[in-house]
C-alpha cells in the first residue's frame, strides 16, 4: 500500500538535507540551494555528491522538495522545500501523540515534563505561553 504525502516520514539522512534547505529559507527568506551548496553546509567529512543527489531525488519523489534548472547553468538544479518545517513538525508530533499517547495531549505533555525534568521556572513560562496563546 502506497503512502500519501501526508503519511510519509523523513529518514535521518533526508531530515539532514531538509534542515539545510529549511535553514536557508529561514535566513534568506526565499530561493533554494544547488547540490553543491547543500554539501557545503555539511561538516567534514562531507558526503559524496552522488549520495546527496540520490537523497534529493528521493525527497522530490516523496513530495518534500521541488527543483528547477538554473537558467544558463547547464545541468545545475536548485532544490526548494515544498513543505515547511512547521507543517512537517506538526504532522510528526500529531503522529507521536496518536501512536504513543493514545491521542492524549495531556499524556504527551506530562511524559515530556517528567522525562525532561522541566524546571519550575520553565513550567511557569510554558503555562504563560499556553494562557496567552
Amino acid at each position: 500500500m502506497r503512502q500519501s504525502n501526508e503519511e510519509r516520514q523523513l529518514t535521518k539522512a533526508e531530515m539532514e538535507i531538509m534542515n539545510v534547505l529549511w535553514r536557508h529559507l529561514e535566513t534568506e527568506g526565499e530561493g533554494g540551494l544547488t547540490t553543491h551548496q547543500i554539501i557545503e553546509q555539511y561538516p567534514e567529512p562531507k558526503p559524496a555528491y552522488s549520495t546527496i543527489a540520490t537523497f534529493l531525488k528521493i525527497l522530490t519523489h516523496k513530495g518534500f522538495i521541488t527543483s528547477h534548472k538554473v537558467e544558463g547553468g547547464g545541468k545545475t538544479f536548485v532544490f526548494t522545500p515544498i513543505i515547511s518545517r512547521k507543517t512537517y513538525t506538526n504532522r510528526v508530533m500529531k503522529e507521536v501523540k496518536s501512536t504513543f499517547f493514545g491521542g492524549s495531549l495531556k499524556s504527551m505533555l506530562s511524559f515530556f515534563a517528567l522525562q525532561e525534568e522541566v524546571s519550575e521556572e520553565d513550567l511557569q513560562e510554558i503555562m504563560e505561553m499556553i494562557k496567552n496563546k
Side-chain angles (χ1 to χ4, degrees):
M1 186 164 109
R2 190 177 175 110
Q3 290 181 317
S4 70
N5 285 349
E6 290 76 37
E7 296 170 329
R8 293 186 179 155
Q9 298 296 313
L10 295 168
T11 66
K12 183 179 178 188
E14 293 165 353
M15 185 63 132
E16 288 174 2
I17 293 171
M18 290 302 295
N19 279 328
V20 168
L21 292 169
W22 285 327
R23 255 191 319 274
H24 176 75
L25 274 182
E26 292 164 1
T27 58
E28 301 300 319
E30 63 182 359
L33 296 170
T34 65
T35 307
H36 286 294
Q37 290 170 322
I38 292 168
I39 293 168
E40 287 173 12
Q41 301 299 313
Y42 278 79
E44 293 294 340
K46 302 217 182 267
Y49 181 94
S50 59
T51 301
I52 298 302
T54 298
F55 281 114
L56 289 168
K57 285 180 188 173
I58 292 167
L59 287 166
T60 301
H61 177 72
K62 284 183 165 184
F64 284 100
I65 64 174
T66 188
S67 65
H68 68 275
K69 251 186 182 183
V70 174
E71 194 171 319
K75 296 179 181 179
T76 304
F77 283 85
V78 172
F79 298 91
T80 309
I82 292 173
I83 183 172
S84 70
R85 183 191 309 262
K86 181 178 179 180
T87 299
Y88 183 73
T89 301
N90 284 339
R91 181 192 313 163
V92 170
M93 292 309 295
K94 283 179 183 179
E95 186 174 323
V96 167
K97 182 178 77 169
S98 173
T99 302
F100 295 102
F101 302 101
S104 169
L105 179 62
K106 179 181 164 186
S107 294
M108 185 171 86
L109 292 176
S110 64
F111 170 82
F112 285 113
L114 296 171
Q115 194 69 24
E116 297 296 319
E117 298 177 11
V118 179
S119 70
E120 186 66 35
E121 182 180 312
D122 284 347
L123 281 174
Q124 290 299 323
E125 201 173 312
I126 291 167
M127 293 302 295
E128 277 301 310
M129 286 191 296
I130 291 170
K131 285 179 189 176
N132 296 328
K133 78 169 187 162

